[in-house]
Amino acid sequence: QVQLVESGGGLVQAGGSLRLSCAASERTFSTYKMVWFRQAPGKEREFVAGISRSGGGTYYADTVKGRFTISRDNAKNTVYLQMNSLKPEDTAVYRCAADPGPGGIVFTTSSRYDYWGQGTQVTVSS
């Protein structure tokens, strides 16, 4: 069972940048499709970005497209989320999730994921 640990969150001013990391325990990390979700207080969890096993395919929510970049380093068992031009509405707990299932589809529904990190808080001040 893969274990995921996020890091890199913090407090940043609007317009600033942060890079989140999600380290996986499994040496088979390259077989997992990886995603980032976020959840703000009082709101539902929402898909942010996803990446295929090889890293060749990336997917983004419209709200972050052009500002966030997801990437992965399979040699380091780590997926990243580079967040630029941050806005106060990006404030949330960010969690990574892993999908070991077959097929190439990167699901954007949180119920499809069984493996989650504990989350890291991102706060963007105005």
Side-chain angles (χ1 to χ4, degrees), residues 80-92:
Y80 304 97
L81 186 67
Q82 178 67 45
M83 305 186 295
N84 299 329
S85 303
L86 282 161
K87 304 175 181 179
E89 50 264 44
D90 294 319
T91 296

Side-chain angles (χ1 to χ4, degrees), residues 60-121:
Y60 298 94
D62 288 341
T63 51
V64 307
K65 200 172 294 183
R67 300 188 298 122
F68 291 11
T69 302
I70 188 171
S71 62
R72 67 191 296 162
D73 186 338
N74 286 340
K76 295 183 178 179
N77 292 352
T78 302
V79 62
Y80 304 97
L81 186 67
Q82 178 67 45
M83 305 186 295
N84 299 329
S85 303
L86 282 161
K87 304 175 181 179
E89 50 264 44
D90 294 319
T91 296
V93 174
Y94 285 71
R95 299 178 72 183
C96 62
D99 176 12
I105 297 175
V106 175
F107 297 106
T108 61
T109 304
S110 61
S111 61
R112 297 301 296 250
Y113 294 89
D114 294 326
Y115 304 108
W116 292 85
Q118 83 289 350
T120 186
Q121 176 70 47

Side-chain angles (χ1 to χ4, degrees), residues 32-79:
Y32 290 80
K33 293 165 285 183
M34 298 296 297
V35 294
W36 288 93
F37 281 82
R38 68 185 181 186
Q39 188 167 18
K43 294 187 177 181
E44 293 187 353
R45 187 176 298 169
E46 64 172 342
F47 171 80
V48 176
I51 191 166
S52 64
R53 296 182 186 87
S54 67
T58 57
Y59 312 88
Y60 298 94
D62 288 341
T63 51
V64 307
K65 200 172 294 183
R67 300 188 298 122
F68 291 11
T69 302
I70 188 171
S71 62
R72 67 191 296 162
D73 186 338
N74 286 340
K76 295 183 178 179
N77 292 352
T78 302
V79 62

